[in-house]
Amino acid sequence: MPIVVDIDVMLAKRKMSVGALAERVGITPANLAVLKNGRAKAVRFTTLAALCEVLECQPGDLLRWEPGDQAGDVPLGGSGAQPLARGGPDS
């Protein structure tokens, strides 16, 4: 996917663990790992805003675009993928 997630970089700069970030943002460590490892298909703006608030950064510090053409890329308009939610299944 041409969108690269750089949460690891910000975690290292802030000397923060994944578990601590997940707790402070209000998402599960499993959901944060999905996002951190680039496996998420979407992220809610509220989650992105919470990440930026806790990490004291801008969205561009966490996400960047790299050109590339992969077979799994979905054109704009939707894949039907659900956004990565904050909290549990009832969020």
Side-chain angles (χ1 to χ4, degrees), residues 5 7-8 11 18-19 21-23 25-44 47-48 51 63 82-91:
V5 181
I7 290 177
D8 282 339
L11 282 172
V18 172
L21 178 60
E23 184 176 327
V25 169
I27 63 176
T28 66
N31 276 345
L32 182 57
V34 167
L35 180 59
K36 184 175 77 74
N37 295 322
R39 294 189 314 262
K41 298 295 179 192
V43 61
R44 292 179 190 262
T47 302
L48 183 58
L51 286 165
L63 303 172
Q82 296 296 316
L84 185 63
R86 293 180 69 191
D90 297 328
S91 294

mmCIF file of all heavy atoms in Angstrom, residues 5 7-8 11 18-19 21-23 25-44 47-48 51 63 82-91:
data_model
loop_
_atom_site.group_PDB
_atom_site.id
_atom_site.type_symbol
_atom_site.label_atom_id
_atom_site.label_comp_id
_atom_site.label_asym_id
_atom_site.label_seq_id
_atom_site.Cartn_x
_atom_site.Cartn_y
_atom_site.Cartn_z
ATOM 1 N N VAL A 5 2.741 4.034 7.494
ATOM 2 C CA VAL A 5 2.447 4.490 8.852
ATOM 3 C C VAL A 5 3.750 4.508 9.644
ATOM 4 O O VAL A 5 4.437 3.496 9.741
ATOM 5 C CB VAL A 5 1.411 3.565 9.528
ATOM 6 C CG1 VAL A 5 1.085 4.058 10.931
ATOM 7 C CG2 VAL A 5 0.150 3.463 8.686
ATOM 8 N N ILE A 7 4.193 5.265 12.990
ATOM 9 C CA ILE A 7 3.954 5.360 14.432
ATOM 10 C C ILE A 7 5.197 4.932 15.207
ATOM 11 O O ILE A 7 5.522 5.518 16.240
ATOM 12 C CB ILE A 7 2.715 4.538 14.845
ATOM 13 C CG1 ILE A 7 1.455 5.222 14.312
ATOM 14 C CG2 ILE A 7 2.636 4.375 16.360
ATOM 15 C CD1 ILE A 7 0.179 4.479 14.577
ATOM 16 N N ASP A 8 5.913 3.920 14.706
ATOM 17 C CA ASP A 8 7.129 3.465 15.388
ATOM 18 C C ASP A 8 8.132 4.598 15.572
ATOM 19 O O ASP A 8 8.780 4.687 16.616
ATOM 20 C CB ASP A 8 7.803 2.335 14.599
ATOM 21 C CG ASP A 8 7.119 1.004 14.785
ATOM 22 O OD1 ASP A 8 6.400 0.856 15.786
ATOM 23 O OD2 ASP A 8 7.315 0.117 13.947
ATOM 24 N N LEU A 11 6.882 6.806 18.351
ATOM 25 C CA LEU A 11 7.014 6.114 19.636
ATOM 26 C C LEU A 11 8.459 6.172 20.126
ATOM 27 O O LEU A 11 8.708 6.411 21.310
ATOM 28 C CB LEU A 11 6.568 4.654 19.501
ATOM 29 C CG LEU A 11 5.059 4.411 19.480
ATOM 30 C CD1 LEU A 11 4.769 2.951 19.137
ATOM 31 C CD2 LEU A 11 4.427 4.777 20.807
ATOM 32 N N VAL A 18 4.124 0.742 22.975
ATOM 33 C CA VAL A 18 2.868 0.544 22.241
ATOM 34 C C VAL A 18 1.714 0.439 23.229
ATOM 35 O O VAL A 18 0.647 1.021 23.014
ATOM 36 C CB VAL A 18 2.952 -0.710 21.347
ATOM 37 C CG1 VAL A 18 1.598 -1.047 20.742
ATOM 38 C CG2 VAL A 18 3.989 -0.523 20.256
ATOM 39 N N GLY A 19 1.925 -0.293 24.313
ATOM 40 C CA GLY A 19 0.867 -0.462 25.314
ATOM 41 C C GLY A 19 0.453 0.851 25.947
ATOM 42 O O GLY A 19 -0.740 1.114 26.135
ATOM 43 N N LEU A 21 0.790 3.863 24.621
ATOM 44 C CA LEU A 21 0.096 4.664 23.611
ATOM 45 C C LEU A 21 -1.334 4.184 23.437
ATOM 46 O O LEU A 21 -2.272 4.989 23.414
ATOM 47 C CB LEU A 21 0.839 4.623 22.272
ATOM 48 C CG LEU A 21 0.185 5.389 21.129
ATOM 49 C CD1 LEU A 21 0.053 6.878 21.457
ATOM 50 C CD2 LEU A 21 0.971 5.190 19.839
ATOM 51 N N ALA A 22 -1.526 2.875 23.328
ATOM 52 C CA ALA A 22 -2.873 2.321 23.155
ATOM 53 C C ALA A 22 -3.778 2.735 24.313
ATOM 54 O O ALA A 22 -4.918 3.160 24.102
ATOM 55 C CB ALA A 22 -2.802 0.796 23.046
ATOM 56 N N GLU A 23 -3.264 2.643 25.529
ATOM 57 C CA GLU A 23 -4.060 3.005 26.705
ATOM 58 C C GLU A 23 -4.422 4.482 26.687
ATOM 59 O O GLU A 23 -5.577 4.849 26.925
ATOM 60 C CB GLU A 23 -3.287 2.668 27.972
ATOM 61 C CG GLU A 23 -4.078 2.918 29.239
ATOM 62 C CD GLU A 23 -3.324 2.473 30.489
ATOM 63 O OE1 GLU A 23 -2.567 1.492 30.416
ATOM 64 O OE2 GLU A 23 -3.493 3.145 31.520
ATOM 65 N N VAL A 25 -4.562 6.537 24.135
ATOM 66 C CA VAL A 25 -5.414 6.887 22.996
ATOM 67 C C VAL A 25 -6.817 6.301 23.158
ATOM 68 O O VAL A 25 -7.792 6.861 22.672
ATOM 69 C CB VAL A 25 -4.769 6.414 21.672
ATOM 70 C CG1 VAL A 25 -5.729 6.517 20.499
ATOM 71 C CG2 VAL A 25 -3.518 7.232 21.387
ATOM 72 N N GLY A 26 -6.913 5.174 23.853
ATOM 73 C CA GLY A 26 -8.219 4.539 24.045
ATOM 74 C C GLY A 26 -8.536 3.500 22.994
ATOM 75 O O GLY A 26 -9.702 3.304 22.648
ATOM 76 N N ILE A 27 -7.507 2.847 22.449
ATOM 77 C CA ILE A 27 -7.726 1.738 21.525
ATOM 78 C C ILE A 27 -7.020 0.513 22.077
ATOM 79 O O ILE A 27 -6.162 0.611 22.955
ATOM 80 C CB ILE A 27 -7.236 2.043 20.085
ATOM 81 C CG1 ILE A 27 -5.724 2.284 20.046
ATOM 82 C CG2 ILE A 27 -7.988 3.228 19.506
ATOM 83 C CD1 ILE A 27 -5.178 2.489 18.636
ATOM 84 N N THR A 28 -7.385 -0.640 21.576
ATOM 85 C CA THR A 28 -6.751 -1.856 22.051
ATOM 86 C C THR A 28 -5.340 -1.956 21.482
ATOM 87 O O THR A 28 -5.070 -1.452 20.382
ATOM 88 C CB THR A 28 -7.546 -3.108 21.629
ATOM 89 O OG1 THR A 28 -7.490 -3.226 20.200
ATOM 90 C CG2 THR A 28 -8.991 -3.039 22.105
ATOM 91 N N PRO A 29 -4.436 -2.605 22.204
ATOM 92 C CA PRO A 29 -3.100 -2.822 21.657
ATOM 93 C C PRO A 29 -3.142 -3.582 20.329
ATOM 94 O O PRO A 29 -2.341 -3.316 19.433
ATOM 95 C CB PRO A 29 -2.390 -3.634 22.746
ATOM 96 C CG PRO A 29 -3.088 -3.248 24.006
ATOM 97 C CD PRO A 29 -4.533 -3.044 23.598
ATOM 98 N N ALA A 30 -4.103 -4.479 20.173
ATOM 99 C CA ALA A 30 -4.227 -5.228 18.911
ATOM 100 C C ALA A 30 -4.585 -4.297 17.757
ATOM 101 O O ALA A 30 -4.013 -4.398 16.665
ATOM 102 C CB ALA A 30 -5.271 -6.333 19.049
ATOM 103 N N ASN A 31 -5.532 -3.371 17.975
ATOM 104 C CA ASN A 31 -5.895 -2.419 16.920
ATOM 105 C C ASN A 31 -4.744 -1.476 16.608
ATOM 106 O O ASN A 31 -4.520 -1.119 15.456
ATOM 107 C CB ASN A 31 -7.140 -1.625 17.294
ATOM 108 C CG ASN A 31 -8.417 -2.351 16.967
ATOM 109 O OD1 ASN A 31 -8.414 -3.324 16.219
ATOM 110 N ND2 ASN A 31 -9.512 -1.897 17.529
ATOM 111 N N LEU A 32 -4.001 -1.069 17.631
ATOM 112 C CA LEU A 32 -2.850 -0.213 17.392
ATOM 113 C C LEU A 32 -1.787 -0.959 16.594
ATOM 114 O O LEU A 32 -1.172 -0.391 15.690
ATOM 115 C CB LEU A 32 -2.270 0.297 18.714
ATOM 116 C CG LEU A 32 -1.086 1.250 18.580
ATOM 117 C CD1 LEU A 32 -1.437 2.469 17.726
ATOM 118 C CD2 LEU A 32 -0.593 1.679 19.947
ATOM 119 N N ALA A 33 -1.597 -2.238 16.876
ATOM 120 C CA ALA A 33 -0.624 -3.042 16.126
ATOM 121 C C ALA A 33 -1.028 -3.158 14.659
ATOM 122 O O ALA A 33 -0.178 -3.081 13.768
ATOM 123 C CB ALA A 33 -0.488 -4.428 16.749
ATOM 124 N N VAL A 34 -2.317 -3.317 14.395
ATOM 125 C CA VAL A 34 -2.807 -3.381 13.009
ATOM 126 C C VAL A 34 -2.475 -2.080 12.284
ATOM 127 O O VAL A 34 -1.979 -2.091 11.151
ATOM 128 C CB VAL A 34 -4.334 -3.667 12.976
ATOM 129 C CG1 VAL A 34 -4.911 -3.417 11.595
ATOM 130 C CG2 VAL A 34 -4.607 -5.097 13.423
ATOM 131 N N LEU A 35 -2.710 -0.971 12.934
ATOM 132 C CA LEU A 35 -2.405 0.331 12.336
ATOM 133 C C LEU A 35 -0.896 0.525 12.184
ATOM 134 O O LEU A 35 -0.405 0.893 11.120
ATOM 135 C CB LEU A 35 -2.996 1.444 13.197
ATOM 136 C CG LEU A 35 -2.778 2.868 12.720
ATOM 137 C CD1 LEU A 35 -3.368 3.078 11.333
ATOM 138 C CD2 LEU A 35 -3.384 3.847 13.706
ATOM 139 N N LYS A 36 -0.158 0.233 13.238
ATOM 140 C CA LYS A 36 1.296 0.433 13.264
ATOM 141 C C LYS A 36 2.008 -0.406 12.207
ATOM 142 O O LYS A 36 2.979 0.041 11.598
ATOM 143 C CB LYS A 36 1.805 0.068 14.657
ATOM 144 C CG LYS A 36 3.256 0.304 14.903
ATOM 145 C CD LYS A 36 3.614 0.025 16.348
ATOM 146 C CE LYS A 36 3.728 -1.435 16.673
ATOM 147 N NZ LYS A 36 4.897 -2.090 16.167
ATOM 148 N N ASN A 37 1.512 -1.599 11.965
ATOM 149 C CA ASN A 37 2.152 -2.500 11.013
ATOM 150 C C ASN A 37 1.649 -2.329 9.583
ATOM 151 O O ASN A 37 2.013 -3.108 8.703
ATOM 152 C CB ASN A 37 1.982 -3.947 11.464
ATOM 153 C CG ASN A 37 2.703 -4.212 12.767
ATOM 154 O OD1 ASN A 37 3.786 -3.687 12.994
ATOM 155 N ND2 ASN A 37 2.102 -4.995 13.635
ATOM 156 N N GLY A 38 0.824 -1.307 9.353
ATOM 157 C CA GLY A 38 0.372 -1.008 7.999
ATOM 158 C C GLY A 38 -0.689 -1.951 7.455
ATOM 159 O O GLY A 38 -0.899 -2.013 6.253
ATOM 160 N N ARG A 39 -1.381 -2.664 8.331
ATOM 161 C CA ARG A 39 -2.416 -3.606 7.879
ATOM 162 C C ARG A 39 -3.818 -3.013 7.915
ATOM 163 O O ARG A 39 -4.761 -3.627 7.438
ATOM 164 C CB ARG A 39 -2.358 -4.883 8.718
ATOM 165 C CG ARG A 39 -1.073 -5.668 8.521
ATOM 166 C CD ARG A 39 -1.129 -7.038 9.185
ATOM 167 N NE ARG A 39 -1.659 -7.012 10.529
ATOM 168 C CZ ARG A 39 -0.932 -7.010 11.641
ATOM 169 N NH1 ARG A 39 0.377 -7.014 11.571
ATOM 170 N NH2 ARG A 39 -1.517 -7.010 12.829
ATOM 171 N N ALA A 40 -3.970 -1.817 8.486
ATOM 172 C CA ALA A 40 -5.289 -1.178 8.560
ATOM 173 C C ALA A 40 -5.684 -0.662 7.185
ATOM 174 O O ALA A 40 -4.853 -0.167 6.429
ATOM 175 C CB ALA A 40 -5.277 -0.034 9.560
ATOM 176 N N LYS A 41 -6.942 -0.781 6.856
ATOM 177 C CA LYS A 41 -7.470 -0.271 5.592
ATOM 178 C C LYS A 41 -8.031 1.127 5.752
ATOM 179 O O LYS A 41 -8.243 1.835 4.770
ATOM 180 C CB LYS A 41 -8.562 -1.192 5.045
ATOM 181 C CG LYS A 41 -8.078 -2.591 4.719
ATOM 182 C CD LYS A 41 -7.079 -2.564 3.605
ATOM 183 C CE LYS A 41 -6.576 -3.962 3.306
ATOM 184 N NZ LYS A 41 -5.422 -3.959 2.445
ATOM 185 N N ALA A 42 -8.273 1.538 6.998
ATOM 186 C CA ALA A 42 -8.839 2.861 7.261
ATOM 187 C C ALA A 42 -8.544 3.225 8.712
ATOM 188 O O ALA A 42 -8.246 2.357 9.526
ATOM 189 C CB ALA A 42 -10.355 2.854 7.030
ATOM 190 N N VAL A 43 -8.638 4.510 8.998
ATOM 191 C CA VAL A 43 -8.496 4.990 10.375
ATOM 192 C C VAL A 43 -9.457 6.163 10.564
ATOM 193 O O VAL A 43 -9.594 7.007 9.672
ATOM 194 C CB VAL A 43 -7.041 5.394 10.704
ATOM 195 C CG1 VAL A 43 -6.553 6.512 9.823
ATOM 196 C CG2 VAL A 43 -6.873 5.745 12.162
ATOM 197 N N ARG A 44 -10.141 6.165 11.673
ATOM 198 C CA ARG A 44 -11.062 7.271 11.958
ATOM 199 C C ARG A 44 -10.265 8.534 12.264
ATOM 200 O O ARG A 44 -9.200 8.471 12.875
ATOM 201 C CB ARG A 44 -11.952 6.934 13.154
ATOM 202 C CG ARG A 44 -12.937 5.832 12.895
ATOM 203 C CD ARG A 44 -13.741 5.558 14.155
ATOM 204 N NE ARG A 44 -14.522 4.358 14.011
ATOM 205 C CZ ARG A 44 -15.816 4.339 13.667
ATOM 206 N NH1 ARG A 44 -16.449 5.466 13.467
ATOM 207 N NH2 ARG A 44 -16.444 3.197 13.531
ATOM 208 N N THR A 47 -9.520 8.870 15.897
ATOM 209 C CA THR A 47 -8.377 8.070 16.342
ATOM 210 C C THR A 47 -7.081 8.759 15.951
ATOM 211 O O THR A 47 -6.141 8.846 16.754
ATOM 212 C CB THR A 47 -8.437 6.652 15.745
ATOM 213 O OG1 THR A 47 -9.671 6.029 16.127
ATOM 214 C CG2 THR A 47 -7.274 5.802 16.211
ATOM 215 N N LEU A 48 -7.012 9.266 14.719
ATOM 216 C CA LEU A 48 -5.823 9.974 14.261
ATOM 217 C C LEU A 48 -5.578 11.212 15.119
ATOM 218 O O LEU A 48 -4.445 11.485 15.524
ATOM 219 C CB LEU A 48 -5.973 10.349 12.786
ATOM 220 C CG LEU A 48 -4.790 11.037 12.128
ATOM 221 C CD1 LEU A 48 -3.527 10.183 12.209
ATOM 222 C CD2 LEU A 48 -5.128 11.356 10.673
ATOM 223 N N LEU A 51 -4.185 10.119 18.471
ATOM 224 C CA LEU A 51 -2.774 9.745 18.325
ATOM 225 C C LEU A 51 -1.904 10.992 18.283
ATOM 226 O O LEU A 51 -0.867 11.061 18.946
ATOM 227 C CB LEU A 51 -2.567 8.911 17.061
ATOM 228 C CG LEU A 51 -3.064 7.476 17.099
ATOM 229 C CD1 LEU A 51 -3.126 6.881 15.685
ATOM 230 C CD2 LEU A 51 -2.184 6.615 17.998
ATOM 231 N N LEU A 63 1.684 9.598 9.037
ATOM 232 C CA LEU A 63 1.300 9.011 7.751
ATOM 233 C C LEU A 63 2.047 9.692 6.621
ATOM 234 O O LEU A 63 2.201 10.909 6.615
ATOM 235 C CB LEU A 63 -0.207 9.190 7.506
ATOM 236 C CG LEU A 63 -1.146 8.626 8.563
ATOM 237 C CD1 LEU A 63 -2.572 9.052 8.266
ATOM 238 C CD2 LEU A 63 -1.041 7.114 8.639
ATOM 239 N N GLN A 82 -14.097 -1.433 6.950
ATOM 240 C CA GLN A 82 -14.538 -0.656 8.088
ATOM 241 C C GLN A 82 -13.367 0.128 8.656
ATOM 242 O O GLN A 82 -12.255 -0.377 8.706
ATOM 243 C CB GLN A 82 -15.104 -1.587 9.170
ATOM 244 C CG GLN A 82 -16.341 -2.325 8.713
ATOM 245 C CD GLN A 82 -17.491 -1.384 8.434
ATOM 246 O OE1 GLN A 82 -17.760 -0.476 9.201
ATOM 247 N NE2 GLN A 82 -18.163 -1.586 7.325
ATOM 248 N N PRO A 83 -13.588 1.353 9.109
ATOM 249 C CA PRO A 83 -12.504 2.128 9.701
ATOM 250 C C PRO A 83 -12.070 1.524 11.021
ATOM 251 O O PRO A 83 -12.855 0.886 11.712
ATOM 252 C CB PRO A 83 -13.109 3.515 9.902
ATOM 253 C CG PRO A 83 -14.568 3.340 9.810
ATOM 254 C CD PRO A 83 -14.837 2.089 9.038
ATOM 255 N N LEU A 84 -10.812 1.714 11.369
ATOM 256 C CA LEU A 84 -10.272 1.258 12.643
ATOM 257 C C LEU A 84 -10.878 2.117 13.731
ATOM 258 O O LEU A 84 -10.712 3.328 13.758
ATOM 259 C CB LEU A 84 -8.751 1.392 12.634
ATOM 260 C CG LEU A 84 -8.008 0.865 13.831
ATOM 261 C CD1 LEU A 84 -8.216 -0.641 13.962
ATOM 262 C CD2 LEU A 84 -6.533 1.163 13.708
ATOM 263 N N ALA A 85 -11.624 1.493 14.625
ATOM 264 C CA ALA A 85 -12.377 2.229 15.638
ATOM 265 C C ALA A 85 -11.578 2.391 16.915
ATOM 266 O O ALA A 85 -10.712 1.593 17.215
ATOM 267 C CB ALA A 85 -13.680 1.494 15.948
ATOM 268 N N ARG A 86 -11.903 3.427 17.655
ATOM 269 C CA ARG A 86 -11.351 3.592 18.994
ATOM 270 C C ARG A 86 -12.139 2.705 19.929
ATOM 271 O O ARG A 86 -13.331 2.557 19.801
ATOM 272 C CB ARG A 86 -11.472 5.035 19.447
ATOM 273 C CG ARG A 86 -10.608 5.960 18.655
ATOM 274 C CD ARG A 86 -10.736 7.373 19.115
ATOM 275 N NE ARG A 86 -10.131 7.488 20.449
ATOM 276 C CZ ARG A 86 -10.273 8.550 21.205
ATOM 277 N NH1 ARG A 86 -10.979 9.570 20.794
ATOM 278 N NH2 ARG A 86 -9.702 8.607 22.390
ATOM 279 N N GLY A 87 -11.468 2.117 20.886
ATOM 280 C CA GLY A 87 -12.132 1.335 21.917
ATOM 281 C C GLY A 87 -12.523 -0.045 21.426
ATOM 282 O O GLY A 87 -11.926 -0.599 20.522
ATOM 283 N N GLY A 88 -13.578 -0.575 22.001
ATOM 284 C CA GLY A 88 -14.003 -1.939 21.720
ATOM 285 C C GLY A 88 -14.974 -2.018 20.572
ATOM 286 O O GLY A 88 -15.187 -1.061 19.834
ATOM 287 N N PRO A 89 -15.634 -3.172 20.431
ATOM 288 C CA PRO A 89 -16.525 -3.396 19.288
ATOM 289 C C PRO A 89 -17.767 -2.521 19.297
ATOM 290 O O PRO A 89 -18.387 -2.339 18.269
ATOM 291 C CB PRO A 89 -16.897 -4.881 19.411
ATOM 292 C CG PRO A 89 -16.570 -5.274 20.815
ATOM 293 C CD PRO A 89 -15.506 -4.329 21.295
ATOM 294 N N ASP A 90 -18.117 -1.965 20.440
ATOM 295 C CA ASP A 90 -19.315 -1.126 20.518
ATOM 296 C C ASP A 90 -19.036 0.345 20.323
ATOM 297 O O ASP A 90 -19.900 1.180 20.506
ATOM 298 C CB ASP A 90 -20.010 -1.321 21.871
ATOM 299 C CG ASP A 90 -20.501 -2.733 22.046
ATOM 300 O OD1 ASP A 90 -20.867 -3.376 21.043
ATOM 301 O OD2 ASP A 90 -20.527 -3.193 23.193
ATOM 302 N N SER A 91 -17.804 0.719 19.953
ATOM 303 C CA SER A 91 -17.446 2.139 19.810
ATOM 304 C C SER A 91 -18.094 2.756 18.618
ATOM 305 O O SER A 91 -18.166 2.273 17.555
ATOM 306 C CB SER A 91 -15.938 2.293 19.658
ATOM 307 O OG SER A 91 -15.314 1.901 20.849
#
